[in-house]
Structure formats: C-alpha cells, structure tokens
Amino acid sequence: MKHSLFEVWVFLASSPLLWLTVTLLAYFGATWLYRRCGATPFLIPVMTATIVIIAVLLVTDTPYPTYFEGAKFVHFLIGPATVALAVPLYSQWERLKRMWLPISVALVVGSVTAILSGMGIAWALGGSHETVLSLAPRSATMPIAMAVAERIGGLPSLAAVGVAITGVGGAIVARGLLNLSRIDDPAVRGFAVGITAHAVGTARALQVNETAGAFSALAMGLNGIATALLMPLILKLLQWMQP
C-alpha cells in the first residue's frame, strides 16, 4: 500500500497539473486570508503564497526545476499581465501629458536613490563587491534587474532575491510611509510605489486605487529602463571618485 502511494505521488509530482494546481490554490488561499484579515499589508497574497509553496517544496523534497516545469504557465502569463497594465494607464493619458516634468524628475531621483541605497546598505553590512553589484538594481523589475546584475558583474540569482525582498517590503511599508508623509494624491502615491516596489507594489496599488495602479505601472516600466541606463554611469562615477 505504501509503495503504491509512493508511486502515485511520484506520478503526480512529475505532472505539470499538480504544481499549477498547488500554485493557484496557494494564491487563492492567500487572497482569502488577506481579505479575511482586513487587507493587512503583512499578509499580501504574493508573500503568503510564496511562503506556502516554499514550505510544500521543502516538505516534499521537490527540486525547484520540477516545480517550475509544472507552474511555467503562470510564468508565461506575466507577459500578458504586464501588457494589460497599459489599460488603466491609457485612461490617465491627459494627466500624464501635464505631469511629464515632475514625473521625469521623480524618476531620475528615485532610480538613483534606489541604486545607491542598495549598494550602500550592502557595503555597510560588509557585503562583497559582487554582492554590492548584485543588489544595486533591486528596485527594477526582476528580468531587468537580473540582466543588469549579470552585465555589471553581479549574481543574477542574488539580484532576484533582492528584487523579491524589495517588492514585498515596499508593498508592506508603502501605505504607512505615504500616510506619514501626508501624500494623498493617488498618482503620486502610485508612482512612488512603482519606482521602489516594482511589480509587487503595482499589484498592491491596483487593489487600492485604479489611478495609483496606473501610475505605479508607469513608474515600474520607466524605472526598469532608467536603471539599465543609469547603472553603468553610476559605476563609472563611483570609480572616478575613488582615490
């Protein structure tokens, strides 16, 4: 009987449907818990579902490549979901044309601050040169951050971890910090969240307000481009300033 159950588990574990189902159930369960607890930022679905899936993989001793093979359909949907963010953004087009100057200034300041703060924190904690470079693009979206980190001599895998922690942390603390700063404009709130917390922050902003979500999506996209362009310039400047 035990042997039969083991064979059934091996068959299910190798089936793409199993891990896709686990992913969906984990996210739906996390969403239910999030709403049940009053939408507290400490239980945002992305973080809770990720913890559940990691626990399942550890308990079942399932390697990540096996899981990813089953859940890659969800990964495929990231592209269409990102493109779909243009829909709420289009509704804000007239306002975007009026705000191009403050948006441009905020983008440059936010992107440079994110890069330097990531490098500074890693350096202050005694991180290696490779670690410092890996965490520099932490506020960009994950594909861009991983590519930038690899290009400048960092570790793409470490960059991915930094991006994930930054996104979850930003989504948790953003509302409190923005309220403390008495920033009420949804566009400003959304843009700030998008620059710092990329996709996770954007998902959170969309749940709160459509305008905030639109400007967060804009900031996320622009900051990815800005990070890729500014990173080499900042490294050159830092090298020039060294004695």
Side-chain angles (χ1 to χ4, degrees), residues 8 22 28 37 43-44 48 63 75 115 145 158 168 176 190 209 219 225 231 234 239:
V8 170
V22 169
F28 289 144
C37 295
L43 290 174
I44 58 175
T48 308
H75 184 265
I115 293 172
L158 183 56
V168 172
N209 183 278
I225 298 172
M231 193 72 248
I234 292 175
Q239 292 174 358

Side-chain angles (χ1 to χ4, degrees), residues 168-213:
V168 172
I172 290 175
V173 305
R175 182 171 63 179
L177 290 177
L178 290 171
N179 290 342
L180 187 64
S181 303
R182 298 182 179 179
I183 298 175
D184 300 321
D185 190 334
V188 178
R189 292 172 70 98
F191 200 83
V193 170
I195 286 182
T196 55
H198 44 80
V200 180
T202 298
R204 168 73 173 159
L206 282 169
Q207 292 174 339
V208 176
N209 183 278
E210 182 176 337
T211 299

Side-chain angles (χ1 to χ4, degrees), residues 1-241:
M1 181 64 179
K2 291 183 179 179
H3 183 67
S4 298
L5 290 175
F6 177 76
E7 289 180 341
V8 170
W9 170 250
V10 171
F11 172 76
L12 290 176
S14 62
S15 171
L17 183 60
L18 172 66
W19 297 113
L20 176 61
T21 303
V22 169
T23 302
L24 295 176
L25 289 177
Y27 186 77
F28 289 144
T31 302
W32 175 85
L33 181 63
Y34 173 73
R35 293 172 178 170
R36 184 78 173 178
C37 295
T40 172
F42 293 98
L43 290 174
I44 58 175
V46 171
M47 179 180 66
T48 308
T50 300
I51 292 173
V52 171
I53 292 173
I54 291 175
V56 172
L57 295 180
L58 290 174
V59 170
T60 60
D61 196 26
T62 301
Y64 178 76
T66 301
Y67 164 76
F68 184 77
E69 184 65 25
K72 62 183 179 181
F73 179 71
V74 177
H75 184 265
F76 165 78
L77 292 177
I78 293 177
T82 302
V83 174
L85 292 174
V87 175
L89 187 60
Y90 178 75
S91 65
Q92 303 293 326
W93 180 245
E94 292 301 322
R95 191 175 184 185
L96 280 174
K97 290 192 293 186
R98 298 194 302 268
M99 296 177 63
W100 69 268
L101 181 58
I103 283 177
S104 300
V105 174
L107 173 65
V108 174
V109 173
S111 185
V112 171
T113 301
I115 293 172
L116 293 180
S117 62
M119 298 177 69
I121 292 172
W123 174 81
L125 294 177
S128 64
H129 180 68
E130 195 174 44
T131 300
V132 172
L133 295 178
S134 299
L135 296 181
R138 62 188 175 84
S139 286
T141 57
M142 192 169 294
I144 294 177
M146 293 176 68
V148 169
E150 185 176 21
R151 184 67 180 270
I152 63 177
L155 296 173
S157 57
L158 183 56
V161 173
V163 170
I165 294 176
T166 300
V168 172
I172 290 175
V173 305
R175 182 171 63 179
L177 290 177
L178 290 171
N179 290 342
L180 187 64
S181 303
R182 298 182 179 179
I183 298 175
D184 300 321
D185 190 334
V188 178
R189 292 172 70 98
F191 200 83
V193 170
I195 286 182
T196 55
H198 44 80
V200 180
T202 298
R204 168 73 173 159
L206 282 169
Q207 292 174 339
V208 176
N209 183 278
E210 182 176 337
T211 299
F215 277 86
S216 183
L218 174 66
M220 177 183 68
L222 292 178
N223 188 48
I225 298 172
T227 299
L229 295 176
L230 291 173
M231 193 72 248
L233 299 177
I234 292 175
L235 290 179
K236 287 289 185 181
L237 180 61
L238 292 176
Q239 292 174 358
W240 178 77
M241 293 175 60

